[in-house]
Amino acid sequence: MTTLKVVSYNIHKGKSAFGKRISLSDLQSGLTQLGADLVFLQEVQGRNSRFESLHAQQDMLANHLSMDVCYGCNAVRTDTDHGNALLSRFRIVEHENEDISDHRLEQRGVLHARVQIDGTTVHCFVAHLGLFAASRGRQVTAIIERIRRLVPDNEPLILAGDFNDWNEKLAPYFDHELGLHEVFANSPLRIDNELPRLKPSLRSMMEGRSLIAVDQLAPPRTFPAVFPWLRLDRMYQRGFNILSAQVLKGRPWARISDHAPILAELELA
């Protein structure tokens, strides 16, 4: 069986949480130590004509880590642009970026890459959804329609990124429509110092017991990185066994971005 280390990370355009310090060097070191196989990145600057040190961040990271790379540009400004990127230790066969912007104030996209891993095609989707609930709902619909149209049911899939889903409304759509499962909810080894979300089991109460049954495991807290409280980032999968899932906290991660990264260990089923 092939086992993969998979990371999802909003890198805040290569700057620290408050934007006062360029953090790309720390990011390079951190990712090198992780030895990840697939890295799903959001808020990556593909172009910065004012500061060379912030230009082409996806290529700089890929060259440093000796990984294949693809980039999807979403937001274009006068001197910069930014979007999503995928880094892979395996060959990226093809990729396409789909514009899922819901209004002109927020430019959003989903990057879809096909990666060849030990003879298996793995579909990787990097997403960064909007700040408004209605926008996120329509963007999730667009992602679901793309997956239904282009991904065969028997091919494994990973969807990861910054979903801005602090009210935890999106997971049922992915589960019901596509059979995608959030990695923390199904991991036998969850390392994020959180207790599972619990509620009394009706059956146990009827039997006169005092047992508490696990109803569901909450998604991870990832924002802000210095003291994660909001549950913004997600990783969903289909076609893998989940071995472990964790949020990377403390140094160096709290100094790199305003988000904390997610790391999951997945085994091709």
Side-chain angles (χ1 to χ4, degrees), residues 162-218:
D162 179 357
F163 286 78
N164 279 311
D165 185 23
W166 53 78
N167 54 2
E168 304 170 49
K169 299 293 186 181
L170 302 181
Y173 294 103
F174 292 121
D175 187 359
H176 181 264
E177 300 294 334
L178 298 171
L180 295 179
H181 303 292
E182 202 269 326
V183 295
F184 281 80
N186 293 273
S187 172
L189 180 59
R190 173 175 175 148
I191 313 168
D192 65 351
N193 299 320
E194 285 198 41
L195 291 174
R197 182 172 300 165
L198 304 175
K199 75 175 183 181
S201 165
L202 179 62
R203 180 178 179 182
S204 295
M205 292 172 64
M206 291 176 63
E207 293 175 352
R209 300 176 182 175
S210 60
L211 298 178
I212 297 294
V214 175
D215 178 56
Q216 64 179 35
L217 295 176

Side-chain angles (χ1 to χ4, degrees), residues 107-128:
Q107 290 76 49
R108 305 291 182 177
V110 58
L111 176 63
H112 176 193
R114 293 173 177 84
V115 182
Q116 198 69 19
I117 301 178
D118 295 343
T120 299
T121 297
V122 176
H123 294 261
C124 298
F125 290 82
V126 195
H128 189 183

Side-chain angles (χ1 to χ4, degrees), residues 55-56 123 217 249 265:
H55 180 69
H123 294 261
L217 295 176
K249 301 177 182 179
E265 192 175 15

Side-chain angles (χ1 to χ4, degrees), residues 89-126:
R89 294 202 182 279
F90 304 90
R91 185 169 71 92
I92 298 174
V93 178
E94 58 180 331
H95 70 276
E96 183 180 11
N97 194 59
E98 180 175 341
D99 185 354
I100 56 172
S101 301
D102 192 57
H103 52 84
R104 66 179 183 176
L105 298 179
E106 290 185 300
Q107 290 76 49
R108 305 291 182 177
V110 58
L111 176 63
H112 176 193
R114 293 173 177 84
V115 182
Q116 198 69 19
I117 301 178
D118 295 343
T120 299
T121 297
V122 176
H123 294 261
C124 298
F125 290 82
V126 195

Side-chain angles (χ1 to χ4, degrees), residues 17-259:
F18 296 103
K20 295 182 179 180
R21 182 177 59 86
I22 296 176
S23 57
L24 292 171
S25 178
D26 290 337
L27 177 59
Q28 285 180 335
S29 299
L31 292 177
T32 298
Q33 292 177 16
L34 287 181
D37 300 294
L38 294 169
V39 184
F40 294 64
L41 298 176
Q42 307 90 53
E43 289 197 21
V44 179
Q45 281 201 338
R47 176 177 60 90
N48 190 316
S49 58
R50 296 182 60 192
F51 301 100
E52 181 63 28
S53 58
L54 291 171
H55 180 69
Q57 296 172 3
Q58 74 282 3
D59 295 327
M60 178 269 292
L61 291 170
N63 291 335
H64 181 82
L65 297 168
S66 298
M67 300 178 80
D68 208 352
V69 64
C70 59
Y71 170 69
C73 176
N74 298 325
V76 179
R77 308 288 186 261
T78 301
D79 297 313
T80 66
D81 65 50
H82 69 269
N84 302 318
L86 178 74
L87 306 179
S88 173
R89 294 202 182 279
F90 304 90
R91 185 169 71 92
I92 298 174
V93 178
E94 58 180 331
H95 70 276
E96 183 180 11
N97 194 59
E98 180 175 341
D99 185 354
I100 56 172
S101 301
D102 192 57
H103 52 84
R104 66 179 183 176
L105 298 179
E106 290 185 300
Q107 290 76 49
R108 305 291 182 177
V110 58
L111 176 63
H112 176 193
R114 293 173 177 84
V115 182
Q116 198 69 19
I117 301 178
D118 295 343
T120 299
T121 297
V122 176
H123 294 261
C124 298
F125 290 82
V126 195
H128 189 183
L129 302 191
L131 296 174
F132 302 102
S135 294
R136 293 194 296 274
R138 288 186 283 269
Q139 288 161 354
V140 164
T141 298
I143 293 172
I144 289 172
E145 289 177 352
R146 181 180 183 88
I147 291 174
R148 281 177 169 168
R149 187 173 73 252
L150 298 176
V151 181
D153 292 340
N154 63 338
E155 292 185 351
L157 183 157
I158 303 171
L159 167 63
D162 179 357
F163 286 78
N164 279 311
D165 185 23
W166 53 78
N167 54 2
E168 304 170 49
K169 299 293 186 181
L170 302 181
Y173 294 103
F174 292 121
D175 187 359
H176 181 264
E177 300 294 334
L178 298 171
L180 295 179
H181 303 292
E182 202 269 326
V183 295
F184 281 80
N186 293 273
S187 172
L189 180 59
R190 173 175 175 148
I191 313 168
D192 65 351
N193 299 320
E194 285 198 41
L195 291 174
R197 182 172 300 165
L198 304 175
K199 75 175 183 181
S201 165
L202 179 62
R203 180 178 179 182
S204 295
M205 292 172 64
M206 291 176 63
E207 293 175 352
R209 300 176 182 175
S210 60
L211 298 178
I212 297 294
V214 175
D215 178 56
Q216 64 179 35
L217 295 176
R221 302 181 191 270
T222 58
F223 183 90
V226 291
F227 187 76
W229 185 252
L230 294 177
R231 309 175 192 275
L232 302 188
D233 301 88
R234 300 286 191 277
M235 187 182 298
Y236 298 93
Q237 63 78 34
R238 186 176 73 192
F240 292 88
N241 299 315
I242 305 167
L243 304 181
S244 67
Q246 62 180 301
V247 175
L248 302 176
K249 301 177 182 179
R251 289 179 178 261
W253 308 108
R255 292 172 46 83
I256 293 174
S257 173
D258 55 348
H259 286 246

